[in-house]
Amino acid sequence: MAAGSKLLRAVSAVALSSTMLGAVAIGTQLVGLGEASAAVVSGISVKGNQRVEDQTIRDFMSIKPGENVNDAGIDAAVRRLYSTGLFSNVRISQNGGTLLVEVDENQIVNQVLFQGNNKIKDAQLEAAVQTQPRGAYSEATAQADVDGIKEAYSRIGRSDAVVSVRTQPIEGNRVNVIFDIQEGERTKIGQITFVGNNAFGDTRLKQVIQLRESGILSFISRNDVYDEDRLRADEEALRRFYYNRGYADFRIVSSVAELDEAQNKYFITFTVDEGERYAFGNVNVESTIPGIDGEALRGELKTQAGDVYSAKSVEDTLVNLTNRVAASGYAFAQVTPRGNRDFTNHTISVDYVIDQGPRAYIERIDIRGNTKTRDYVIRREFDVAEGDAFNQVLIQRAKQRLEDLGFFNRVAVSTAPGNEPDRVIVIVDVDEKSTGEFSVGGGYTTGGDSSGPVAEVGVTERNFLGRGQFVKVSAGFGSGTRNYNLSFTEPYFLGRRLAAGFDVYRTENTSGDYDVTRTGGDVRLAAPITEQLTAQVAYNFKQEVFGDDKGIDLEADLDGDGRADDDVNDPSRLPLVLPYKSTCDNPDPSGLYPRPAPRYTKSDIINEAICDSPYTTSSVSYSLTYNTLDSNKDPRDGFLIQGGQEFAGIGGDANFIKSTAKANYFKLLSEEYDVVGQLSAGAGNVSALGGDLRVFDNFFKGQDIVRGFKSKGIGPRQNSVDGDADEAVSIGGTNYVNASAEATFPLPVVSRDFGFRGAVFADAGSVWGSEFDGEPGVVGTDFSLRASAGVGLIWASPFGPLRVNYAYPIAKEDFDQTQEFSFGFSTRF
């Protein structure tokens, strides 16, 4: 047993010794290998490169001769060479102290070509792809560009567009990159549905959002193109709509757009939870700042107890209180609304609490995403600048102003910490949209100085050269009419919120009782007094030419024989009739018709005024505009009140003071049925200043104040020389007054996407007063009320709002000229 144990111990010792020796040997080999891997680089050899210089490749590797290099260092060098985008394959091997670098260069893009595209131009697609001429070709980048092109087509409603990419090799290791496009059919919006809405019907909510169901005119408006960003924007529009109408708990449960590939249409469903409708309860202002009396600030409140709850009213109140407190020297004051819901009575009491906020300053304002709009155009919408006290309310107001400019699809304002604890960086992200428009419009009108077909071509740029300036050039043509206009507006004149601009125009009309040519312009300056009140002053100059100074034969049928009285030599008929040919320079030589008679009119008053033309009018004017409309384009609530005066006599031929005023009030009579009421009123007076009042300085009114009458159809007029009232010519009046009541509503059954609304209305008004009172043939100089009632059809066409009216005159004078049907552009306010 002892011998066996000794033998076992001997074998174990030998085994242990062998293991230790093996470990030492392996360790020695690893050390040797590690030393080989970390060998000193004596040189770098480059192969396979055609365009890239050897030294450039060595520089990219960041490995220098004389340095130690291991496997990790070689792997890093490979990654650095790949990251340059110049190579499709990189291999590095080690031969002793020499590194051998073998590369396969990427092909260089010679041209980027698009084939099959008609709906999107090459220039637009070039901006959507990353592959660029003279750059290295990357298959991964090209495939990403395919997705980018598909996204561009999706944004114009062609979600089924098919895009592929291929290369065409040419000499010098270059390629043409070709994107083949099958545009497919336009993907339309088949139906928009709302679920969970009880207070407002689908028709009303569809007017709130921008997306539209496809219709016969969708190819013009393009509002039936589905886009996820537009869907998100419509969600926000719905929230604002409900929040401003008392539904403080409103939420969107979901909004889903499903593509029916068989019909190639999107079906969009908004699921909403309206919640209860609230009114304002008690409204108070509390201040924790010594020297600020909350009760003294109640005049700044836009929220009153009993009113329907409105988030916008709360926001307006916050701005008013913030500005008022800041003006008192408390730049860091914070105004916080605290609401208290009464679920039983459905009211929300609001306490506006004014506290001294933390001292924080704006370190800088960073603007991102603007490639066209200049930075200063965005910065000037902020009432705060670098170094000012940070105020979140004023920041949000600036965001609203930027959105109202209409220059951007999206505006986002965020903050980031500055370099100091009390510094804040304001970050403004914008997504620009096209602000230029080329418009072609047409229609038919029965109003104004002419009737018949009309057409207009115009070019408008609302953000000229990215400076925020407005420029419009237009030309209009109609039946006997031509007009040319150029307008320019700088909204921030001299760096202040002053809108300065000018207008130049020329109008020619040969379709009325007499020819009229006007050439003129104005220079204007408008300044906001408050958010709703704006003042404007202007200098105006125009030259007017009426009729012509040549005259033509005016052969009257005074004897009623149905033919022109050309038998002047018949002694039996003299002196009853005498056809005459007269000019302004040479009146009728017989002396029987001493007044000149140029063409188009049988009014002596107008004839004499025509012969005295051309006239020049040099005047200054001012106006005040009070605007609280919820929308200037499609108002449903608010006031628009305008008033002003024009003083002529600064040179020129005219000397008068002209005063005008008009007011419009809109009220949504029924939310459910979208019935909008409108009350309008207007008045005017013109008086001579130190001289006679010219007949053409009078007010010429008709269907523009009382529908159912012709243009220039009411007011003072002069009968023709033969006493025919049907050929009486308007000589205008020195006073006018008018009032109107109207209600508009959606047409039943007809889809709102067609843009039609019906109207019922009643008008009343009068034009009176004349310096020619008592002259032969002059009638209508006394005040006499005209009235009418009727119905209308309004079409919000892609060419502008068009309207047809039928108005029946209820009160009129025998010499008035009526016109029950009228058709034209809807511009009554």
Side-chain angles (χ1 to χ4, degrees), residues 23 75 166 244 255 331 704 716 735 758:
D75 289 343
R166 57 189 172 90
N244 292 333
S255 57
D704 53 335
N735 307 282

Side-chain angles (χ1 to χ4, degrees), residues 632-652:
N632 289 326
K633 181 179 180 181
D634 189 18
R636 284 178 167 78
D637 185 74
F639 287 92
L640 177 63
I641 303 174
Q642 296 174 302
Q645 290 183 304
E646 181 183 3
F647 301 86
I650 308 174

Side-chain angles (χ1 to χ4, degrees), residues 159-232:
S159 301
D160 60 344
V162 177
V163 183
S164 61
V165 62
R166 57 189 172 90
T167 59
Q168 182 184 55
I170 59 176
E171 62 181 6
N173 199 31
R174 295 178 300 161
V175 292
N176 289 331
V177 180
I178 303 170
F179 292 96
D180 292 306
I181 302 169
Q182 298 178 27
E183 295 180 321
E185 296 296 325
R186 193 161 67 90
T187 306
K188 302 179 180 180
I189 295 179
Q191 187 175 14
I192 300 176
T193 306
F194 296 87
V195 177
N197 54 311
N198 298 309
F200 306 101
D202 286 15
T203 298
R204 180 68 181 98
L205 295 182
K206 287 178 182 179
Q207 292 174 333
V208 176
I209 63 177
Q210 294 298 315
L211 290 172
R212 293 287 187 267
E213 295 170 347
S214 299
I216 59 175
L217 296 175
S218 297
F219 73 95
I220 299 176
S221 63
R222 296 293 184 179
N223 287 330
D224 65 334
V225 176
Y226 170 73
D227 180 79
E228 187 173 354
D229 290 340
R230 297 179 70 183
L231 185 65
R232 301 284 87 81

Side-chain angles (χ1 to χ4, degrees), residues 537-540 618-622 645-650 656 658:
V537 294
Y539 170 75
N540 318 281
S618 176
S619 66
V620 293
S621 60
Y622 76 89
Q645 290 183 304
E646 181 183 3
F647 301 86
I650 308 174
F656 64 78
K658 184 175 290 187

Side-chain angles (χ1 to χ4, degrees), residues 583-787:
T583 69
C584 292
D585 295 330
N586 299 296
D588 173 50
S590 70
L592 297 177
Y593 297 89
R595 291 183 181 271
R599 59 176 169 174
Y600 301 135
T601 175
K602 295 183 179 181
S603 164
D604 290 343
I605 296 172
I606 295 296
N607 290 346
E608 186 174 356
I610 287 175
C611 285
D612 290 339
S613 72
Y615 299 101
T616 59
T617 302
S618 176
S619 66
V620 293
S621 60
Y622 76 89
S623 64
L624 293 173
T625 301
Y626 179 71
N627 188 345
T628 64
L629 298 180
D630 57 345
S631 168
N632 289 326
K633 181 179 180 181
D634 189 18
R636 284 178 167 78
D637 185 74
F639 287 92
L640 177 63
I641 303 174
Q642 296 174 302
Q645 290 183 304
E646 181 183 3
F647 301 86
I650 308 174
D653 303 311
N655 291 277
F656 64 78
I657 175 173
K658 184 175 290 187
S659 305
T660 57
K662 59 181 178 179
N664 293 271
Y665 172 62
F666 293 85
K667 180 67 176 178
L668 187 61
L669 302 179
S670 171
E671 284 275 14
E672 181 178 359
Y673 298 104
D674 191 25
V675 179
V676 180
Q678 177 186 357
L679 296 176
S680 304
N685 170 266
V686 59
S687 302
L689 287 177
D692 293 332
L693 189 67
R694 302 178 309 178
V695 64
F696 293 123
D697 294 330
N698 286 332
F699 295 108
F700 292 81
K701 298 291 183 179
Q703 64 176 255
D704 53 335
I705 62 171
V706 183
R707 285 162 285 196
F709 294 84
K710 285 185 177 181
S711 175
K712 304 179 183 179
I714 62 177
R717 54 203 323 104
Q718 185 180 35
N719 293 328
S720 64
V721 293
D722 59 358
D724 188 351
D726 291 336
E727 295 185 355
V729 179
S730 174
I731 58 174
T734 56
N735 307 282
Y736 80 89
V737 65
N738 71 286
S740 176
E742 179 171 288
T744 65
F745 47 87
L747 293 180
V749 182
V750 179
S751 171
R752 61 103 192 197
D753 293 317
F754 291 109
F756 288 104
R757 289 179 69 85
V760 293
F761 58 84
D763 297 339
S766 181
V767 182
W768 75 99
S770 174
E771 290 190 349
F772 302 99
D773 187 16
E775 291 203 13
V778 173
V779 295
T781 59
D782 296 330
F783 178 88
S784 178
L785 189 68
R786 281 78 161 179

Side-chain angles (χ1 to χ4, degrees), residues 298-378:
R298 294 192 68 88
E300 304 296 333
L301 299 180
K302 296 295 184 181
T303 53
Q304 304 295 330
D307 291 348
V308 174
Y309 175 82
S310 169
K312 184 178 185 303
S313 298
V314 174
E315 293 171 2
D316 291 342
T317 300
L318 288 176
V319 172
N320 289 353
L321 291 174
T322 299
N323 288 333
R324 177 73 177 274
V325 174
S328 300
Y330 298 90
F332 298 99
Q334 288 185 340
V335 183
T336 305
R338 296 177 182 173
N340 182 22
R341 279 180 171 81
D342 184 335
F343 295 100
T344 302
N345 297 317
H346 298 141
T347 61
I348 300 178
S349 298
V350 182
D351 293 331
Y352 297 97
V353 182
I354 304 173
D355 297 313
Q356 185 66 276
R359 291 183 175 271
Y361 298 89
I362 298 176
E363 180 174 310
R364 68 176 186 272
I365 299 177
D366 289 344
I367 301 173
R368 304 184 305 200
N370 55 316
T371 58
K372 175 185 177 182
T373 307
R374 307 196 181 197
D375 277 12
Y376 71 83
V377 173
I378 297 174

Side-chain angles (χ1 to χ4, degrees), residues 242-495:
Y242 272 94
Y243 291 162
N244 292 333
R245 287 161 176 78
Y247 295 89
D249 296 328
F250 172 81
R251 66 190 183 94
I252 295 178
V253 178
S254 65
S255 57
V256 180
E258 297 179 334
L259 177 62
D260 186 327
E261 296 184 358
Q263 301 183 57
N264 196 29
K265 293 181 180 180
Y266 279 102
F267 290 83
I268 301 173
T269 303
F270 292 93
T271 303
V272 303
D273 180 4
E274 293 179 328
E276 298 292 337
R277 194 182 195 198
Y278 291 87
F280 283 109
N282 295 327
V283 180
N284 299 300
V285 182
E286 302 176 4
S287 173
T288 63
I289 302 177
I292 298 295
D293 182 8
E295 287 300 313
L297 300 175
R298 294 192 68 88
E300 304 296 333
L301 299 180
K302 296 295 184 181
T303 53
Q304 304 295 330
D307 291 348
V308 174
Y309 175 82
S310 169
K312 184 178 185 303
S313 298
V314 174
E315 293 171 2
D316 291 342
T317 300
L318 288 176
V319 172
N320 289 353
L321 291 174
T322 299
N323 288 333
R324 177 73 177 274
V325 174
S328 300
Y330 298 90
F332 298 99
Q334 288 185 340
V335 183
T336 305
R338 296 177 182 173
N340 182 22
R341 279 180 171 81
D342 184 335
F343 295 100
T344 302
N345 297 317
H346 298 141
T347 61
I348 300 178
S349 298
V350 182
D351 293 331
Y352 297 97
V353 182
I354 304 173
D355 297 313
Q356 185 66 276
R359 291 183 175 271
Y361 298 89
I362 298 176
E363 180 174 310
R364 68 176 186 272
I365 299 177
D366 289 344
I367 301 173
R368 304 184 305 200
N370 55 316
T371 58
K372 175 185 177 182
T373 307
R374 307 196 181 197
D375 277 12
Y376 71 83
V377 173
I378 297 174
R379 290 178 183 275
R380 68 191 183 190
E381 299 301 330
F382 286 80
D383 290 328
V384 292
E386 282 87 347
D388 289 349
F390 175 79
N391 190 300
Q392 185 63 44
V393 173
L394 298 182
I395 295 296
Q396 289 303 312
R397 174 50 61 96
K399 176 178 180 292
Q400 184 63 51
R401 285 175 176 165
L402 289 172
E403 292 174 340
D404 292 342
L405 289 176
F407 299 167
F408 312 107
N409 290 311
R410 182 183 62 87
V411 178
V413 180
S414 57
T415 59
N419 292 327
E420 301 292 337
D422 62 345
R423 298 292 188 269
V424 176
I425 300 173
V426 178
I427 303 171
V428 184
D429 289 294
V430 298
D431 177 19
E432 294 182 312
K433 66 180 180 182
S434 174
T435 55
E437 298 175 0
F438 175 76
S439 60
V440 178
Y444 189 92
T445 179
T446 57
D449 293 329
S450 63
S451 62
V454 293
E456 181 177 277
V457 178
V459 177
T460 303
E461 174 54 66
R462 293 178 287 112
N463 187 12
F464 183 62
L465 299 178
R467 300 174 182 270
Q469 299 165 334
F470 175 89
V471 178
K472 181 176 181 179
V473 180
S474 64
F477 308 92
S479 178
T481 64
R482 293 182 181 181
N483 63 80
Y484 311 91
N485 296 275
L486 168 63
S487 295
F488 173 84
T489 301
E490 166 55 67
Y492 275 77
F493 184 59
L494 299 178

